[in-house]
Structures are given as C-alpha cells and as structure tokens.
Amino acid sequence: MESDLVKKIGLGSVQFGLPYGINNSSGQVMPNQVAHILSYGASIGIEVIDTASAYGRSEEVLGNILARQSHSFKIISKIAPNTSNIRSALQASLQKLQIPRLYGFMFHRIEDVQTNPSLEGELRVLKKEGHVEKIGFSLYYPDDIKYLLDHNISFDLIQVPYSVLDRRFETWFPQLRALGVEVHIRSVFLQGLFFRGEEHLPSLFDTIRPILQRIRQNCQTYQVPLTQALLFFALMNKDIDRVIVGVDSLDNLKENTHFLKLNQVPSVSLINQIFEGIACEDEQILLPFNWKL
C-alpha cells in the first residue's frame, strides 16, 4: 500500500522556475536543492514530474539536473498559451529538458484549441509520430470537460484542481477513468493557503476563515497532521491517478511523504470524518489566478 500511494504522487515543478505560492517565503528553489529533491523523490518511488514552458526556467533546470542523474521520470509539460506552432513548442521543451520524448504534453489553456481547433490535430500527429506518449489538457472549469467530450476531442490525460475545498470535478472522475483518461489533480494545498496563519490571510479569504479554522480544529481533534489529511484526501480517491504536489525544499517533500508508512496512513473513514460537509463553490477563492493580492 505504501508504494502504491507514493507512486500516485507527482512532483510539481513551478517553484523550480518561479517564486510561486501564497505561502512561499523562500522564493524560487535553487538548482542544487532541486537536485536533492529529485534524487529523494526517485528513491521513494515517485515517477512523474509535471512542468510547463510557462514555469520560468523550470524545464531548463530540470534538464540540466536530470542529464547528470541516472533517475528516470515520466515528464509532462504544457504548451504555453497563444502558441501557434505545436511542433516547435515541443522541440523547445525537449531541448530544454534534454530528453527525446515526453510522457505527456498538454494544452495549458483549452481556449487555444477552442479558437484554433487545428492545434489539437497537430498534437495528435506528434503523438502518432512517437514524440509524445499521452496528450491532454490542463483545465480549470468542469464545463471544459463537457466541451471536450461534446466536440469529440481526443485526450489521454487531464489535469484539474482538486482539494477538500474544491470538489467541482469530482463527479467527472469515474467517467473519465471509464474512458481510459489518466486523471491528474493539482492544488491539493491551494498554493499553501491551508497553512497560512490566520493573521496573515488577506481579506479576500474572510468568507472561508471559519472553514479553514474548522479544518484545523478537526485535524487536532482526530490527531491527524493537516498536511497528511489534505494529501490523503486526494490519494484515497480511486479515480485519481496522480496527485501533483509542488515543493519548495527537500524538507518540504519529506514532510509531505513521511506519513506514507503503513502505520501512519489514516483510514478513509477518518479522513471523511475530518472533512465532512467541507467545501467551497466560490471560484474567486478556488482559482488562484483570481486572487488579487
């Protein structure tokens, strides 16, 4: 069970190329620290790294490090918004990453395909040629999935936000799995919002202060660390293939994964008790790009 749970975790790499996250006080992760993170991740069984051309120098940093290490990861990258030449974008990502092919290549914005449907065909050609194993989309709204299915658009891989607050996509997961789509989720910690001290929360989050307080209180009551509860909430969902977790240090990664020992894994019923009745539907809060801080 331990190894299965670890394999469901994927490393998010935005912090490797940008100073990212509402609770990030240390800035962009330095390359030497990234090297330690990747080595440790490989040693515990993590298989997937998620990156994007829009993540600053993330692809370049990863490429320089992985070229010197013997670790083999499944690497997923994303096509930058407003890209008109998919083949050139792929070649640029492969060159920076210093690898011959990608495990996954996704559109960072569905709007690019909606305005230029031929781009989806270009991506399918790259898959057919063997440059990419799986193609897909990074999405923000449940209606985006309906659009893809209604328009018979091909995709093998999907990445969406999901957390104890954000359950908007939850009802889609079983159907996607039944269609053979690999489901990846992100934002399980909402950029670290759950760990932000009450005194440091901007007024934007006033409406969910009681919810955040209740989550912390429940974790204390049931004696389950907050990080563990939030992460296991996603890991226990059988219709989720990967939980993409961003880290800003080696210690952060160790903290996020140390509980994956058999005697430290909480029961599903306990996690359900902690988060029973907790959710949020306000997309101004659920989608960090809406945060005007």
Side-chain angles (χ1 to χ4, degrees):
M1 181 177 181
E2 175 186 355
S3 60
D4 290 341
L5 289 176
V6 172
K7 286 181 179 179
K8 284 190 75 167
I9 295 176
L11 281 177
S13 66
V14 62
Q15 290 98 327
F16 301 167
L18 295 168
Y20 179 85
I22 189 174
N23 207 41
N24 180 0
S25 59
S26 56
Q28 182 179 330
V29 184
M30 299 304 293
N32 65 326
Q33 186 72 194
V34 175
H36 292 308
I37 290 170
L38 298 185
S39 291
Y40 181 77
S43 74
I44 63 173
I46 290 177
E47 300 176 330
V48 167
I49 297 176
D50 177 83
T51 189
S53 58
Y55 292 171
R57 295 184 60 248
S58 176
E59 290 182 327
E60 183 180 344
V61 169
L62 287 169
N64 289 338
I65 294 169
L66 292 175
R68 302 193 305 267
Q69 294 183 348
S70 59
H71 312 305
S72 179
F73 290 97
K74 297 177 179 179
I75 299 182
I76 299 166
S77 193
K78 306 181 194 74
I79 303 161
N82 302 314
T83 296
S84 58
N85 190 320
I86 304 299
R87 185 177 295 273
S88 294
L90 175 64
Q91 291 172 342
S93 288
L94 293 177
Q95 184 175 7
K96 291 177 183 177
L97 290 163
Q98 301 184 49
I99 55 176
R101 67 195 301 266
L102 285 172
Y103 176 72
F105 203 34
M106 299 190 291
F107 286 99
H108 218 144
R109 292 196 326 174
I110 190 174
E111 290 87 350
D112 291 332
V113 172
Q114 290 171 328
T115 56
N116 187 356
S118 66
L119 294 178
E120 182 258 337
E122 292 177 28
L123 189 54
R124 278 191 285 111
V125 170
L126 294 174
K127 176 188 172 182
K128 185 176 181 180
E129 292 175 352
H131 303 298
V132 177
E133 184 172 338
K134 297 195 174 188
I135 59 176
F137 292 83
S138 175
L139 304 176
Y140 296 90
Y141 304 99
D143 283 348
D144 293 339
I145 294 179
K146 186 176 186 302
Y147 178 90
L148 293 175
L149 297 178
D150 287 349
H151 288 78
N152 296 314
I153 295 175
S154 299
F155 61 102
D156 318 295
L157 179 63
I158 216 80
Q159 187 189 107
V160 300
Y162 181 67
S163 70
V164 297
L165 288 182
D166 188 357
R167 307 189 188 192
R168 295 171 300 141
F169 286 90
E170 201 167 52
T171 56
W172 281 104
F173 293 162
Q175 182 176 346
L176 291 172
R177 288 277 286 177
L179 292 172
V181 175
E182 190 170 322
V183 176
H184 291 200
I185 67 100
R186 62 178 184 270
S187 298
V188 70
F189 299 137
L190 258 181
Q191 277 197 23
L193 175 65
F194 292 103
F195 310 117
R196 187 83 175 230
E198 294 289 330
E199 68 278 11
H200 300 301
L201 274 180
S203 58
L204 167 68
F205 304 106
D206 284 349
T207 57
I208 63 164
R209 284 178 190 271
I211 298 176
L212 297 176
Q213 290 170 350
R214 181 180 168 193
I215 289 173
R216 294 191 181 100
Q217 289 169 356
N218 286 355
C219 285
Q220 290 176 355
T221 299
Y222 292 104
Q223 298 183 332
V224 179
L226 177 59
T227 299
Q228 181 177 337
L230 294 169
L231 186 54
F232 194 71
F233 169 80
L235 289 173
M236 74 180 189
N237 190 314
K238 61 181 177 59
D239 293 315
I240 290 174
D241 293 285
R242 308 281 179 177
V243 178
I244 306 301
V245 179
V247 296
D248 52 30
S249 69
L250 177 59
D251 288 342
N252 191 200
L253 176 58
K254 289 181 176 179
E255 177 188 359
N256 289 346
T257 57
H258 83 279
F259 74 90
L260 294 176
K261 299 176 181 177
L262 293 179
N263 62 349
Q264 294 182 347
V265 174
S267 68
V268 172
S269 61
L270 179 57
I271 294 297
N272 286 336
Q273 282 181 289
I274 293 174
F275 297 122
E276 183 179 4
I278 289 176
C280 174
E281 297 181 358
D282 186 352
E283 291 180 342
Q284 293 300 310
I285 289 174
L286 297 179
L287 298 172
F289 60 73
N290 286 327
W291 298 352
K292 307 301 181 185
L293 303 177

